[in-house]
Amino acid sequence: MLWTAAQIFRTFSSSSVDQRLTVQRQMEGLREEERESRSPVVSASRPPVLSASPEAMQVEGLGNSAEEHLRRRREGRCFYCGRLGHLIARCPTRPGHSDIRIATPCHFQSKLKLAIIGQSLFGKEVYSNLRKHGHKVVGVFTVPDKDGMADPLALAAEKDGTPVFKFPRWRVKGKTIPEVLEAYMAVDAEINVMPFCSQFIPMSIIDYPKHGSIIYHPSILPLHRGASAINWSLIHGDKKAGFTVFWADDGLDTGPILLQRECIVEPNDTVDTLYNRFLFPEGIKAMVESVQLVADGKAPRIPQPEEGASYEGIQKKSNAKINLAQPAEAIHNWIRGHDKIPGAWTVIEGKLVTLYGSKMLQGSVPPGQPLDIEGASIPSLVTKNGLVLHGTDGKTVLVKNLQFEDGRMIPASKYFSSGETHSVELTDSDKEIVKEMRCIWMGILSNIPKIEDTTDFFKSGAASMDVVRLVEAVKQRAGVLLQNEDIYMATTFQEFIQMFVRKMRGEEKEDNLVIDHVIKETNNMTVKMPNQCFINGTFVDAENGKTYDTINPTDGSVICKVSYASAGDVDHAVTAAKEAFHHGPWGKMNPRDRGNLLYKLADLMEQHQEELATIEATDSGAVYTLALKTHVGMSIQTFRYFAGWCDKIQGKTVPINQARPNHNLTFTKREPIGVCAIVIPWNYPLMMLAWKSAACLAAGNTLVLKPAQVTPLTALKFAELSVKAGIPKGVINILPGSGGVVGQRLADHPDIRKLGFTGSTPIGKQIMKSCALSNLKKVSLELGGKSPLIIFSDCDMDKAVRMGMSSVYFNKGENCIAAGRIFVEESIHDEFINRVVEELKKMKIGDPLDRSTDHGPQNHKTHLDKLLEYCDIGIKEGATLVYGGKQVDRPGFFMEPTVFTDVEDHMFIAKEESFGPVMVVSKFKDGDMEGVLQRANDTEYGLASGVFTRDINKAMYVSEHLEAGTVFINTYNKTDVASPFGGFKQSGFGKDLGEDALMEYLKTKAVTVEY
């Protein structure tokens, strides 16, 4: 059936929705026919299109020719009035069509027909995102396949059915190849989009489209024109980097600027980190934004200034020798700017050696073995952390890896002991996998007739892209996660197999773990503390090189600098955890073996309990004896408890209706969730880690944990012990840093399936929202509290005073279940207060490492200031300050234990949690049990509660009516690893400890079999 344009528009005004949709499809056919009529080259796979004569396309009553219609369609104008911006329904010349809801081509006026010219993953992402934003990609022009492998851009376009052209070249002897030009013209693009292109594109192609061509360049033009712009940004030590989207002209990166974006260059940024953090993700967004600006007619053309312009070409290996007679930062910039290609090199013991992975060394230089390097005035040092180079300014650079001329790469720390490893004996199953690895090598090294044990990967012609192919192939076929550096360090097939088998078996030697410990002599012992991010079984600096100071609350001094993790570090940690879960030995491990590893970890924590307690006391201000018994002691108990659960996670059978005459069996399975995020507070740094991590790991998950920014050190020491226990790489990842960056990224990350959080209610709400919006990840929240403690007149007064004080002042009041409000029956109120004050006067406030200290410093200065403000508010509202309320006059963050009485229900301190050593006491009338219950429950929190009475009936009645997740009767703070812990109402949901906690980290699968 042949439709004229007039018939189409008449049908629009009188047809049903289904008919209108049919007509719309026919209109698409006319548009396609227009394209075909102007295209000398047609894809063989394109279906035939109906043709229509110019007369058949004339619009009734308007006298417009078919050519006029085609012109209006190309320009995005209304068919009827010829103006831009109309839907048919809004065209002023056709009011009778006001009921029409299907747009003419002018609905698409802000979208363009694009030709993508380029390659790489970046090109693919630009292509995909432009299509998502409604632009039509009419052709993709990319590089030919290499060794049978198509470029990522080509693969994506071919999958979508977009025409793909793979020209080896565009011109010969300076002239455009006619067949290439003809094929390009056939797609009829309105603009060329060039995200990344290694080919030379003739100006006849650049200028052909209506809107010309736009190009992405990874520098802030006019600075660093030419290739390798990212490298030169680092080599020159630029403080800012960025990219430019510009209009192509006949110069080299000289065209008018359309759009620019910039970012800060971090001290230890590399080409990879700068690209992955900013240039890649923001560049994709900018290319889409640029195309839309062009489509909307708003794209600027700002001439590039010549002032400040620079041009640098591609560096060659011969020009990349390091000048060691300059400041350390210049040496560092030269090395990182040439990493990985072509590689900065120097001469060591007469041999050319290339240096990779440099960073500025902070703090003191670790001891090491001297090494003379050509051109260095001071001998370098081979240390356990790497090769230390000295700059002329007295500062130092640390280099991670060295590569020799034969392609062999080693850790710089192993320079004097490289190659000293024992040979792994292969089992029969190993030998079968070796055959598959040999096939993978053969597929990549197609020019080699046979892969021998001595075949060298790089000497056989492999390049950096082939390293990526090998790593990905091994991951897909064997489920073993390798790093690119692993290939560089095992270049022959025999070395590769030895390395691969060790990785597959999880035989990661402890002595391979390099830790730049902070060493302190304190508490009559030597304490060794890691202070870097722990990602994929390795301690590493933050991606951006940032650090921050962690403070000793006892005197306000700096303990050490700690890595300040970035969102990029979160992404790396999640990737490692995901790989460990899906492909590593952890996911394949027998549950009982997993339990044995957790038992071993608990044993190591016990062996290091004094060191852990000392770190905890130093970093958080916890009294050492309490840290030893509770912070560390209960952490050990928690891991042992959940280790015992590993082989007891089981489902059940479920009777269902039978599908007669057949039978059915339905059973359930408890399975791990996957990658879990854990965010913990600063009051019990190690114990909160244990409460959540032990259950998470026992269930078979992997995790990324963010300790509180102010108390990261015991978490990092725990990471060190996990390696010694044999926990595989990637299973545990620890990221110190801010909640706003690390915590937020964890909540937003699409690959995290569960998040466990302990902290404030407002932050818990934000986390819950982020988890819902990202990927609806499972959440458990242990939030704020204002726990009531009711003391009746028939209580055991001695016990009530002792436990009442413990309920408030335990751990300096920094206790989530602390009794935030104590209700005392009127007849015993004064006696209770007097006895509490007498005991407080005996309490020793001082150094938490002193064994006689009862009360240590508050965790950090900001918290102390909030507590003092809290007390000021209580006084201003009319509560009676009976004791304390002030900062102790001594260095550090010490606060006097405080008592308020005459606290009325409407007051701020009666409603809000102090999270400090502040006892808030209210009277209730003798015998008014219902009244005090109502007051106790008049809060949005419901974490814990308590009651003291000798009357068991009264105690049980009160416990049944208190709205809290935990009720203590004639005791307080009595938690146990086997008893579930968690709150009601705005104190959160989900449980820590006990079997209930295990269920937080499992999912239930139902399986039905018919037989």
Side-chain angles (χ1 to χ4, degrees), residues 71-78 83-85 105-106 109:
R71 183 185 69 81
R72 290 183 177 181
R73 185 178 295 130
R74 283 196 300 271
E75 297 176 0
R77 298 178 181 275
C78 179
R83 293 169 61 189
L84 290 167
C106 52
Q109 65 158 338

Side-chain angles (χ1 to χ4, degrees), residues 72 136 148 183 208 245 300 412 572 577-578 615 620 628 689 702 773 780 852 877 900 964 1009:
R72 290 183 177 181
K136 184 172 180 60
Y208 181 81
V245 180
H572 296 323
K578 186 177 179 181
I615 296 172
S620 75
L628 193 61
L689 176 152
T702 58
L773 292 176
S780 57
S852 64
E877 287 190 331
F900 277 101
V1009 181

Side-chain angles (χ1 to χ4, degrees), residues 787-799:
S787 301
L789 173 59
I790 303 172
I791 301 177
F792 287 99
S793 59
D794 62 349
C795 68
D796 178 336
M797 181 60 78
D798 290 340
K799 192 172 187 180

Side-chain angles (χ1 to χ4, degrees), residues 564 679 706-707 709 737-745:
Y564 191 76
V679 181
K706 191 198 90 65
Q709 183 173 341
S738 71
V741 175
V742 178
Q744 187 62 55
R745 180 56 181 153

Side-chain angles (χ1 to χ4, degrees), residues 28-228:
E28 290 297 330
L30 289 179
R31 295 188 192 120
E32 186 72 13
E33 177 246 335
E34 169 206 344
R35 188 180 300 116
E36 297 290 353
S37 68
R38 293 188 290 141
S39 301
V41 178
V42 180
S43 169
S45 61
R46 185 174 293 165
V49 180
L50 297 174
S51 61
S53 66
E55 294 77 14
M57 291 186 64
Q58 185 169 341
V59 176
E60 181 182 31
L62 295 181
N64 295 328
S65 66
E67 287 75 13
E68 174 66 10
H69 275 283
L70 294 178
R71 183 185 69 81
R72 290 183 177 181
R73 185 178 295 130
R74 283 196 300 271
E75 297 176 0
R77 298 178 181 275
C78 179
F79 276 12
Y80 289 112
C81 67
R83 293 169 61 189
L84 290 167
H86 289 147
L87 298 177
I88 297 178
R90 297 176 181 173
C91 177
T93 67
R94 300 293 289 181
H97 288 260
S98 60
D99 63 324
I100 296 175
R101 294 294 178 266
I102 298 179
T104 68
C106 52
H107 173 71
F108 301 102
Q109 65 158 338
S110 294
K111 304 300 176 185
L112 295 176
K113 295 187 293 182
L114 317 173
I116 305 291
I117 303 177
Q119 64 205 73
S120 78
L121 184 61
F122 183 71
K124 174 216 172 202
E125 291 299 322
V126 170
Y127 159 81
S128 300
N129 278 272
L130 285 168
R131 291 183 78 247
K132 288 178 183 176
H133 282 75
H135 298 285
K136 184 172 180 60
V137 180
V138 294
V140 165
F141 299 84
T142 188
V143 293
D145 296 353
K146 182 181 178 181
D147 297 329
M149 295 286 291
D151 184 82
L153 172 58
L155 288 173
E158 288 167 348
K159 183 178 179 181
D160 295 332
T162 302
V164 176
F165 304 85
K166 302 176 182 179
F167 301 133
R169 62 187 64 83
W170 290 71
R171 65 177 191 166
V172 174
K173 296 182 179 179
K175 293 185 178 181
T176 307
I177 300 171
E179 293 82 6
V180 171
L181 178 61
E182 183 181 15
Y184 167 79
M185 293 170 60
V187 303
D188 190 30
E190 295 172 309
I191 186 172
N192 293 328
V193 179
M194 304 171 69
F196 170 74
C197 183
S198 62
Q199 296 177 310
F200 187 91
I201 310 301
M203 290 306 298
S204 57
I205 303 294
I206 295 291
D207 292 337
Y208 181 81
K210 173 183 175 181
H211 296 293
S213 303
I214 61 172
I215 303 178
Y216 171 91
H217 184 77
S219 79
I220 307 172
L221 291 174
L223 192 64
H224 304 313
R225 291 171 176 164
S228 304

Side-chain angles (χ1 to χ4, degrees), residues 704-1010:
V704 181
L705 182 140
K706 191 198 90 65
Q709 183 173 341
V710 292
T711 54
L713 296 181
T714 45
L716 295 172
K717 187 66 180 180
F718 167 83
E720 178 186 346
L721 297 180
S722 74
V723 176
K724 293 182 177 181
I727 304 293
K729 285 185 176 182
V731 174
I732 295 172
N733 303 273
I734 310 287
L735 299 178
S738 71
V741 175
V742 178
Q744 187 62 55
R745 180 56 181 153
L746 289 171
D748 292 336
H749 204 290
D751 289 333
I752 290 174
R753 294 298 172 186
K754 162 69 198 287
L755 190 148
F757 171 75
T758 295
S760 72
T761 296
I763 299 300
K765 290 179 178 180
Q766 178 60 42
I767 283 176
M768 191 172 178
K769 179 180 179 181
S770 298
C771 289
L773 292 176
S774 55
N775 61 343
L776 211 63
K777 55 177 63 72
K778 187 177 181 180
V779 181
S780 57
L781 305 171
E782 196 254 278
L783 307 176
K786 187 67 176 174
S787 301
L789 173 59
I790 303 172
I791 301 177
F792 287 99
S793 59
D794 62 349
C795 68
D796 178 336
M797 181 60 78
D798 290 340
K799 192 172 187 180
V801 170
R802 186 174 72 254
M803 290 293 183
M805 290 181 66
S806 175
S807 75
V808 175
Y809 304 119
F810 189 80
N811 199 48
K812 311 161 292 173
E814 295 167 353
N815 187 17
C816 51
I817 59 172
R821 192 171 182 194
I822 298 180
F823 296 93
V824 183
E825 201 158 6
E826 192 169 24
S827 60
I828 64 167
H829 173 272
D830 292 349
E831 180 188 357
F832 177 82
I833 295 299
N834 290 335
R835 291 183 61 173
V836 167
V837 171
E838 288 176 11
E839 293 300 320
L840 287 178
K841 291 177 180 178
K842 303 174 188 177
M843 188 176 286
K844 180 180 177 180
I845 302 172
D847 184 349
L849 293 177
D850 186 335
R851 305 306 193 264
S852 64
T853 295
D854 300 306
H855 189 82
Q858 305 308 134
N859 189 277
H860 51 282
K861 180 65 164 58
T862 304
H863 182 53
L864 173 63
D865 292 342
K866 288 181 179 178
L867 288 173
L868 296 173
E869 182 184 4
Y870 185 91
C871 292
D872 288 343
I873 293 172
I875 294 169
K876 290 175 182 177
E877 287 190 331
T880 300
L881 178 62
V882 175
Y883 190 86
K886 299 187 296 296
Q887 182 175 357
V888 178
D889 185 17
R890 60 167 291 163
F893 312 139
F894 292 86
M895 181 176 177
E896 297 174 339
T898 300
V899 179
F900 277 101
T901 61
D902 301 320
V903 179
E904 298 179 12
D905 294 352
H906 68 276
M907 292 180 177
F908 176 83
I909 63 174
K911 293 182 174 294
E912 295 299 325
E913 181 181 27
S914 72
F915 213 66
V918 182
M919 181 178 285
V920 177
V921 184
S922 300
K923 298 177 185 177
F924 68 96
K925 293 182 180 180
D926 291 345
D928 187 13
M929 183 167 60
E930 295 299 335
V932 75
L933 272 172
Q934 183 177 351
R935 294 171 70 189
N937 289 327
D938 187 19
T939 174
E940 276 300 302
Y941 301 111
L943 187 56
S945 60
V947 55
F948 279 83
T949 176
R950 286 189 171 96
D951 186 338
I952 187 61
N953 293 320
K954 185 190 296 184
M956 295 306 295
Y957 181 87
V958 170
S959 70
E960 289 172 4
H961 289 82
L962 282 170
E963 298 170 357
T966 297
V967 180
F968 298 109
I969 299 176
N970 293 329
T971 188
Y972 209 90
N973 288 324
K974 180 59 178 175
T975 54
D976 188 88
V977 294
S979 177
F981 179 93
F984 298 162
K985 298 188 285 188
Q986 292 199 42
S987 289
F989 51 82
K991 298 295 182 183
D992 290 326
L993 304 180
E995 184 180 0
D996 292 55
L998 200 63
M999 298 305 112
E1000 297 291 337
Y1001 294 93
L1002 293 166
K1003 58 189 179 185
T1004 301
K1005 177 183 289 183
V1007 180
T1008 297
V1009 181
E1010 187 164 308

